[in-house]
């Protein structure tokens, strides 16, 4: 609630127009909002038009979730920035619950507090990009996979479905986000093989939910745009650091760029 209050004061005082990237995201959000406001869900052409709005590695999910905010507050840059509060709430709740799951309640509270005061997250909350939405969905995915793995809070059947659902949402937000899930996905694949060998039917079926649910969710978008997704991912790999400081992505300075700005991202207070 404190984040919402502080961010809202800033957002409604903000008067500058969006920069280049932000304008591109905002235009896509407007286009998707227009399509959603004229639904024809039983018409395949309507779905094809929806998926065609995001042909690059930037998936449609962030913009789809922005549409309800537009419906309430109107189409504007400020409304788009305000939609970050949905993702920030998801981030803080998932961070708290993961910390509580791993150790105890106080760990979850401190972790959520650090997320709330981090300059990196503050910058993302008051801008319209897809980084905050991707981070929040990845964090929620870690949580649901963890509760399935440790069999806590929810039944393993429900957590396996939710885990698969959120993996699919990561892909629909930005397919490269799967990189940040390589540890839990590797563990899940190993355990799935072990369960196959030991013929544990319940765990095998739950593992299939975790594997195939993301495919079912993301397939309509990927199947229509797979070529442009792959080519834009390769371009973005080289462009990321170059866009920040003019450094070549494959240079030594390029590799050290992100580790070097960790203090700035996390914040002096946390250090």
């Amino acid at each position: 609630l404190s984040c919402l209050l502080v961010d809202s004061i800033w957002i409604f005082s903000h008067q500058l127009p969006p920069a280049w990237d932000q304008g591109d995201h905002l235009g896509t959000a407007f286009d998707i909002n227009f399509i959603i406001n004229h639904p024809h869900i039983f018409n395949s052409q309507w779905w094809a038009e929806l998926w065609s709005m995001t042909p690059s590695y930037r998936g449609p999910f962030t913009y789809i979730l922005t549409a309800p905010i537009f419906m309430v507050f109107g189409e504007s840059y400020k409304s788009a920035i305000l939609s970050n509060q949905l993702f920030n709430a998801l981030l803080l709740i998932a961070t708290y619950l993961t910390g509580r799951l791993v150790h105890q309640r106080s760990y979850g509270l401190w972790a959520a507090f650090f997320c709330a005061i981090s300059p990196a997250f503050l910058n993302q909350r008051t801008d319209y990009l897809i980084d905050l939405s991707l981070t929040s969905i990845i964090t929620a995915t870690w949580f649901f996979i963890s509760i399935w793995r440790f069999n806590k809070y929810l039944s393993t059947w429900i957590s396996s479905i939710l885990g698969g659902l959120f993996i699919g949402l990561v892909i629909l937000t930005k397919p490269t986000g799967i990189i940040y899930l390589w540890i839990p996905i590797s563990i899940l694949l190993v355990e799935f093989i072990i369960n196959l060998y030991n013929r544990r039917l319940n765990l095998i079926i739950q593992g299939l939910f975790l594997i195939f649910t993301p495919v079912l969710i993301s397939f309509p978008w990927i199947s229509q745009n797979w070529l442009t997704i792959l080519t834009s991912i390769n371009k973005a790999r080289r462009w990321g650091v170059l866009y920040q400081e003019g450094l070549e992505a494959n240079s030594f300075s390029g590799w050290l760029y992100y580790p070097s700005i960790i203090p700035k991202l996390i914040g002096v207070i946390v250090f």
Side-chain angles (χ1 to χ4, degrees):
L1 290 175
S2 298
C3 289
L4 176 61
L5 176 61
V6 172
D7 294 352
S8 296
I9 293 173
W10 187 94
I11 290 168
F12 289 106
S13 301
H14 179 63
Q15 300 297 334
L16 292 176
W20 176 268
D21 272 2
Q22 290 83 347
D24 184 45
H25 288 289
L26 187 62
T28 304
F30 286 163
D31 290 339
I32 287 182
N33 183 56
F34 177 81
I35 295 172
I36 290 176
N37 283 329
H38 299 81
H40 300 282
I41 59 176
F42 298 109
N43 187 337
S44 60
Q45 186 60 38
W46 182 82
W47 288 103
E49 186 178 2
L50 177 64
W51 303 136
S52 68
M53 290 294 102
T54 49
S56 73
Y57 68 97
R58 295 168 174 172
F61 184 68
T62 304
Y63 314 116
I64 291 173
L65 216 60
T66 304
I69 304 298
F70 283 159
M71 294 175 189
V72 175
F73 296 99
E75 286 187 338
S76 69
Y77 185 32
K78 293 181 179 182
S79 298
I81 298 174
L82 190 62
S83 69
N84 287 327
Q85 294 303 317
L86 298 174
F87 296 108
N88 187 50
L90 176 62
L91 173 66
L92 296 180
I93 292 170
T95 300
Y96 163 71
L97 292 175
T98 303
R100 182 170 181 168
L101 174 69
V102 170
H103 197 74
Q104 61 186 19
R105 182 173 180 269
S106 61
Y107 276 62
L109 289 172
W110 277 109
F113 174 72
F114 289 148
C115 286
I117 67 171
S118 164
F121 287 129
L122 178 60
N123 288 338
Q124 293 300 319
R125 294 201 312 263
T126 54
D127 208 345
Y128 190 64
L129 299 166
I130 63 174
D131 302 272
L132 180 64
S133 56
L134 180 65
T135 303
S136 65
I137 296 167
I138 288 174
T139 306
T141 304
W142 270 86
F143 170 67
F144 285 117
I145 292 177
S146 298
I147 63 175
W148 179 81
R149 174 64 179 78
F150 296 111
N151 192 18
K152 289 186 176 181
Y153 295 155
L154 299 172
S155 74
T156 53
W157 287 99
I158 295 176
S159 57
S160 66
I161 295 172
L162 290 174
L165 170 66
F166 272 84
I167 293 174
L169 294 181
V170 170
I171 298 172
L172 282 180
T173 303
K174 194 175 184 181
T176 51
I178 291 294
I179 294 172
Y180 298 100
L181 297 172
W182 72 269
I183 293 177
I185 288 177
S186 299
I187 293 172
L188 290 175
L189 289 175
V190 171
E191 292 197 346
F192 181 72
I193 294 171
I194 293 173
N195 292 329
L196 277 176
Y197 179 78
N198 294 324
R199 299 180 180 178
R200 298 169 181 166
L201 185 58
N202 282 347
L203 294 177
I204 291 172
I205 296 175
Q206 292 168 21
L208 290 173
F209 274 119
L210 281 165
I211 294 171
F212 288 108
T213 302
V215 176
L216 292 173
I217 291 173
S218 60
F219 180 78
W221 173 64
I222 290 179
S223 63
Q224 183 171 316
N225 303 288
W226 65 271
L227 182 58
T228 51
I229 291 171
L230 291 176
T231 53
S232 60
I233 284 175
N234 184 54
K235 182 180 179 181
R237 178 188 65 82
R238 301 195 303 74
W239 181 251
V241 177
L242 183 66
Y243 177 77
Q244 300 291 339
E245 296 290 340
L247 303 172
E248 290 293 337
N250 295 326
S251 66
F252 185 70
S253 299
W255 280 103
L256 291 180
Y257 172 73
Y258 287 111
S260 68
I261 62 172
I262 287 176
K264 185 189 297 185
L265 296 174
I266 297 177
V268 177
I269 295 177
V270 177
F271 265 83

